[in-house]
Amino acid sequence: MKNMIKRSFKQELLAGILFVAVLPLVVSCLFLIQLFKAKAANDYRKKDLEQAAVIEERLSELFSLLDETAGKLAEDEAIRQALISESYGRRSEIYSLLYGVTGPLRSFAQFDLYSADGLCLYSTGTGMFHKTLPPYWGILKAASARPGKLSLQKTQEENTELLTAARVILSAGGEAAGFVVVSLGEENFEEVLKGVCGSQDGICILDGFFETVYSAGTARREGIGSVLRERRLLGKPLTEACRGNSVYVSALSGTGLYSVLLRPEVFTEDTVRSMYTVLFIMTGVSFLLCLAVSAKMSSHLSRPIRILNTAMQAVQEGHLDTRVQTERIDEFGQLADNFDTMTARLSEYMDEQVAQQKRLNEVQIAMMQSQLNPHFLYNTLDTMKWVAKANHIPEIATLAAKLAKILRTSISGEPFLALSEELELVECYAEIQRLRFGGKFAFTCVLPEELSDCMVPKLIVQPIVENAVLHGLAESDEGHIVVRVSESADENLLLIEVTDDGCGIEETVMEHLNSRDRRNLKGHIGFYNVDMIIRLHYGDGYGLKVGRRPEGGTRVLLTLPKQREAPPGQSGKEERYE
């Protein structure tokens, strides 16, 4: 995948734009969706918990009032005596008392007074006269087992679910004198919970066995009582969402009952699916937009690159006059200007190299022309050597042999020699001059062994020694010429020093030699040629320098780079002549 993208600038640009545009959009949207879901769910959960707390508070307050009211009725002596004696003559008094105590709660519950035998004697409802409840089981049995407390139990009459509460009325001897029974039906719970829930909510009241006592709204439709009872039996969490509804369960303290609130979930699957659909549409639109932008930008950016690439190919083919014409002032415009500058300088450099090579060829031709037909001289001198040996004249034989060696090296095709070979030629030349001038000067060559294999242009020391013999020692009866080879402190430069103890050099001549101006070097063409050859091979930072010695005489210093091999393209095959 990575290699495929790198094959095309357009694909790289598209991948880059997608990475910085579409990817952050998708990640941000996913993060925002999750954050919004969590935030909204948390906010709605707080509201749901507040609503569940209101329901719990209302129901707890209701049962607290019921317990308090039932306690007042159970402790009233007139009611106790009326239930024990079943005195019908006092009925108006008992009803007045019953209605007076239960006045605030009659719209939420029905209050009945039962005798110890389970016969309803007094009631705030209708149709309850002489109704009986068995005292040995059910709610009356539960009330007898818990004297002083209100017992609650689910009952059912004629397909109507009721919640019945009862409290035993004890006689002076501690025996059951009767019962206070409170009944709550569906309409009573609706009255208590009026205005608490909306049409989409559900409320359910469960007893201790998770049997439904009261249910309304979605709680009735979803049968939440059965669902929670099954969850409790299986040990599952009671508050787990049920069919797109959040479930909140609260225990009503002191009653053994539970209130359940059902609230529709904020984010249903349809809602989340819609949000992701919008995200996918936005991503698709962004992708198409990025595709169009990348195509436009790649075309805008790649066009100058193609032009520049074409120009580079033309330069590779040797057309150094190629120029890139553009009106852009951005980075591509700067690149085109730099390319034009580079090709112009490259053309100038090539012209300079051609001119330099031409000058080098001219110098080499001049040096070859100054050798006076070396083939003829070499063959003639070789003949002279053998004639001198045949006639027992060793001086002539030596002169011929030394000169022949110099000529053989000068006409060879090898432009570079090892320093040891170069100085060997210089010694041959010095020996010839010593024989010529009757040994009036001495010659010494100092070459460290570690520098003997350094490569130098051939015949660059001999003209300097010749200059010392012909000019430095011209007026001396005896003198000393020394060639000393050393290296610089950083071991990068090769230093060849030629000194003599002759008459020295005039200031004007020294200035002319150091100026490197050929027009001022009449009579010193060999010096100019050597300096030119060194500079053409190595650059203007190298060459010759002339100076006076403090003790008298002249000092010429040749400075070259220290190299163990000849420069590339400068080696040639040596030619032999017979």
Side-chain angles (χ1 to χ4, degrees), residues 12 94 96 127 155 226 230 257 265 289 314 327 352 356 508:
E12 290 184 0
I94 299 303
S96 176
T155 59
S226 301
E230 183 178 357
L257 301 178
E265 289 185 314
L289 182 61
E327 297 180 355
E352 183 180 350
Q356 183 176 352
T508 304

Side-chain angles (χ1 to χ4, degrees), residues 268-524:
T268 61
E269 292 183 1
D270 291 338
T271 304
V272 175
R273 191 180 300 111
S274 299
M275 296 180 69
Y276 280 115
T277 301
V278 173
L279 172 61
F280 292 148
I281 294 174
M282 292 175 59
T283 303
V285 172
S286 299
F287 178 80
L288 295 176
L289 182 61
C290 291
L291 189 63
V293 171
S294 64
K296 184 66 176 178
M297 289 185 64
S298 64
S299 177
H300 179 70
L301 296 176
S302 60
R303 182 173 178 274
I305 295 177
R306 289 196 300 270
I307 295 175
L308 192 60
N309 184 47
T310 303
M312 287 182 177
Q313 291 176 355
V315 171
Q316 290 177 357
E317 295 174 359
H319 303 288
L320 298 181
D321 57 345
T322 303
R323 298 293 182 269
V324 178
Q325 301 295 333
T326 180
E327 297 180 355
R328 300 180 64 153
I329 59 175
D330 55 7
E331 288 80 359
F332 287 110
Q334 297 173 8
L335 185 61
D337 292 341
N338 292 335
F339 176 82
D340 293 343
T341 303
M342 180 193 69
T343 53
R345 291 182 179 177
L346 182 60
S347 180
E348 294 174 0
Y349 174 75
M350 293 299 295
D351 293 341
E352 183 180 350
Q353 287 293 103
V354 171
Q356 183 176 352
Q357 186 63 40
K358 184 177 180 181
R359 290 195 298 271
L360 179 60
N361 292 338
E362 291 175 352
V363 171
Q364 291 175 341
I365 291 172
M367 292 184 68
M368 292 296 291
Q369 290 174 345
S370 67
Q371 294 174 3
L372 301 176
N373 198 346
H375 298 81
F376 170 75
L377 287 176
Y378 173 73
N379 293 328
T380 302
L381 289 173
D382 192 54
T383 302
M384 290 172 59
K385 178 184 72 173
W386 291 109
V387 171
K389 285 185 177 182
N391 291 279
H392 304 289
I393 307 175
E395 290 81 1
I396 296 178
T398 299
L399 287 172
K402 300 294 184 182
L403 184 57
K405 185 171 184 177
I406 295 174
L407 287 173
R408 183 170 61 249
T409 302
S410 68
I411 65 177
S412 70
E414 189 72 32
F416 283 80
L417 293 175
L419 189 54
S420 59
E421 297 178 12
E422 172 69 12
L423 295 185
E424 185 179 352
L425 295 177
V426 175
E427 289 179 346
C428 290
Y429 172 77
E431 183 64 23
I432 292 172
Q433 293 291 32
R434 288 182 72 256
L435 290 174
R436 175 187 174 190
F437 292 104
K440 73 172 186 176
F441 70 90
F443 178 78
T444 303
C445 183
V446 180
L447 174 61
E449 181 66 27
E450 64 273 12
L451 301 177
S452 62
D453 60 344
C454 292
M455 302 299 291
V456 296
K458 69 180 180 181
L459 298 177
I460 61 170
V461 182
Q462 179 266 331
I464 309 305
V465 175
E466 179 181 2
N467 191 70
V469 173
L470 298 180
H471 298 284
L473 303 179
E475 300 177 2
S476 302
D477 293 333
E478 59 179 21
H480 192 192
I481 298 176
V482 179
V483 177
R484 180 175 287 102
V485 180
S486 61
E487 60 182 342
S488 61
D490 59 4
E491 300 182 354
N492 290 328
L493 299 178
L494 183 66
L495 307 176
I496 304 175
E497 185 182 46
V498 180
T499 61
D500 65 72
D501 55 1
C503 61
I505 187 171
E506 296 180 1
E507 184 71 26
T508 304
V509 177
M510 184 173 66
E511 291 179 358
H512 287 169
L513 292 175
N514 289 330
S515 69
R516 295 181 171 179
D517 190 350
R518 186 172 184 174
R519 294 171 296 181
N520 298 326
L521 294 177
K522 295 180 180 179
H524 299 280

Side-chain angles (χ1 to χ4, degrees), residues 127 216 527:
F527 184 95

